[in-house]
Amino acid sequence: MSATETELKLALPGLDSALLARRLARVPALARTTPMRERLTSIYHDTPALDLLRQRVALRLRREGEGDGKGAKARWLQTLKTAGDAASALSQRGEWEMPVAGPALEPAQLAGTPWAALDPQGEWAAALQPCFTTDFERTRWRLRVRGGAVIEVALDVGAITATVDGAQRSAPLCELELELVQGPPEALLALARRIARHVAVLPLAASKAERGYALLQPPASPAVTASPPPLARRMTVAQVAERVLGEAFQQFCANLFALQQGSDAPEVVHQARVGWRRLRSLVRLFAPACTDRPAPAAAALAPLLQPLGRLRDLDVASTQTLPALAAHYAQGDEGRAAAWQSAQDMLAAAAQQTRGETRAALQQPAVGAALLAWQDWLHGWSLAAQVAPGVQACTFSALAAEPARHWARQRIRRLVRKLAAALETAGDDEALHHARILAKRLRYGSTALAPLLPQRMTRHRSAAEQWQERLGAQRDWTQAGALVAAHGGDAAVAAFLRGAAVGRGWAGVRAGR
């Protein structure tokens, strides 16, 4: 009944289910196996207070099949799942599955699982009720791959549905699960890379249960913000790296998923870009610990990152910079106000077009393959984190196994010195831009490593945030002027923005000094 489930979850952007199934059937590794198809309906249960959600536990009833009217009956399974140590598309979690007689929970069968510790008095069991359902068709391949690993590949297409205050909410479901039956987790990544040559994929950490709970309690924004993981002071450099790098990568992917699902919120694009920049900044921070195992080249993600960057610049210009400065430019003149509004509308239209280009980039198999290369690289950190302290992991320097506290302080102090030197010698816009990048690196690094730093060093994070804000506004105004000019806007509007940027940039430097 007890098992540890190891799986890799991948979202499948942009294709209808029939086309997906045909493309997957042409993947050589899958083409040699006849797939099985079945209808699965799962009913997830929780207490009215959502106690299971708070404990990161999922309890479901799943119906396999629908009965054929000729004696064959649907099969019902009761499953308890616990969360893994980290949010990742490649996850390991506890799973306890047991057959039940029909569409009703049998709490007595949960004896011998973690449920006994979660609900010792049986209060939760008495209060359990359905909270959301998943209904999907599963196309399943079971195959043995090179090296002897056995993997079950499942294409799930359907919907997640919840009823809140009498109104039904739903989210589409289209994902690929690679579950390890036998062998090492690396086999999942190797097979995923082979699949990604034919189908666009996106690493997805959110389980079906997490997405169902999000329907019950929708977040204030679809954007996923940074959530630095907890760190213990006795952790090694590799253990810290595994957590903070993995969290940044999942922030990046989660916002790409929200964009792919149809969100037009500028904040989703912003947080996707923040996730990427945090990841790249933290990669540089940990680089001395993996000198023989460099991170994947960013160039492979250029088809995605380039339109994403243009989209963020257009969103900022059309929704923030130009609206904030409109009155300063127009000063009551209707003609100037009309020229300014025309430029703003032009950039908004360009943003909408670029948003489509960014979504199209997510449908390119090469982009998915590049994201999987990052997932694979991060898995290397997971392996290094499991090595005993003081023992060097293969392809990682001895630093990876050392305690992280002293190293963290050294790295942050080094960034503080570099930022101070850059600000002291800044003599032009390019130098200011370099200082802004250093301020971001200091902010991201000091935030991620905060639990390992002494309290007195928190001032560095605050200072970095202030410098980033001062220099960031100057950069946004400069970029807005360039975008207005590039899209054929009024030359006077572009000139005003450039002049405002120059004044803001140096005023910010003087204020900081």
Side-chain angles (χ1 to χ4, degrees), residues 206-374:
S207 66
K208 293 181 180 69
E210 289 175 276
R211 295 184 63 198
Y213 278 117
L215 291 175
L216 285 179
Q217 297 183 325
S221 167
V224 178
T225 58
S227 181
L231 303 175
R233 295 194 171 192
R234 293 184 179 181
M235 282 183 170
T236 65
V237 172
Q239 289 168 342
V240 172
E242 175 198 17
R243 292 200 174 195
V244 301
L245 292 170
E247 183 273 328
F249 180 67
Q250 289 310 320
Q251 182 195 6
F252 178 49
C253 290
N255 284 290
L256 293 179
F257 179 67
L259 178 66
Q260 179 264 324
Q261 290 289 95
S263 174
D264 288 335
E267 186 62 14
V268 165
V269 174
H270 174 50
Q271 292 301 330
R273 205 174 180 198
V274 167
W276 173 251
R277 288 182 169 177
R278 289 178 64 227
L279 178 62
R280 294 295 293 168
S281 178
L282 293 169
V283 165
R284 293 188 64 168
L285 193 70
F286 288 98
C290 58
T291 52
D292 295 331
R293 195 173 182 273
L301 279 173
L304 170 65
L305 296 176
Q306 289 175 358
L308 184 70
R310 292 196 303 271
L311 175 56
R312 175 56 184 163
D313 290 341
L314 287 163
D315 276 344
V316 170
S318 62
T319 66
Q320 297 178 28
T321 305
L322 266 68
L325 295 175
H328 296 282
Y329 179 77
Q331 295 187 1
D333 186 298
E334 292 185 4
R336 289 165 66 88
W340 191 271
Q341 186 62 49
S342 176
Q344 186 174 319
D345 293 343
M346 188 183 306
L347 296 186
Q352 195 60 22
Q353 179 179 342
T354 308
R355 190 167 273 103
E357 294 172 4
T358 308
R359 289 191 176 114
L362 287 169
Q363 298 179 29
Q364 298 181 24
V367 169
L371 291 169
L372 280 175
W374 276 94

Side-chain angles (χ1 to χ4, degrees), residues 35-55:
M36 297 180 61
R37 292 180 176 83
E38 57 185 339
R39 194 78 189 181
L40 301 177
T41 300
S42 297
I43 307 167
Y44 287 78
H45 291 69
D46 206 334
T47 66
L50 301 181
D51 293 294
L52 301 192
L53 171 61
R54 287 199 297 273
Q55 295 296 322

Side-chain angles (χ1 to χ4, degrees), residues 107 116 118 402 429 457:
L118 291 168
E402 292 182 4
D429 286 346
M457 292 188 74

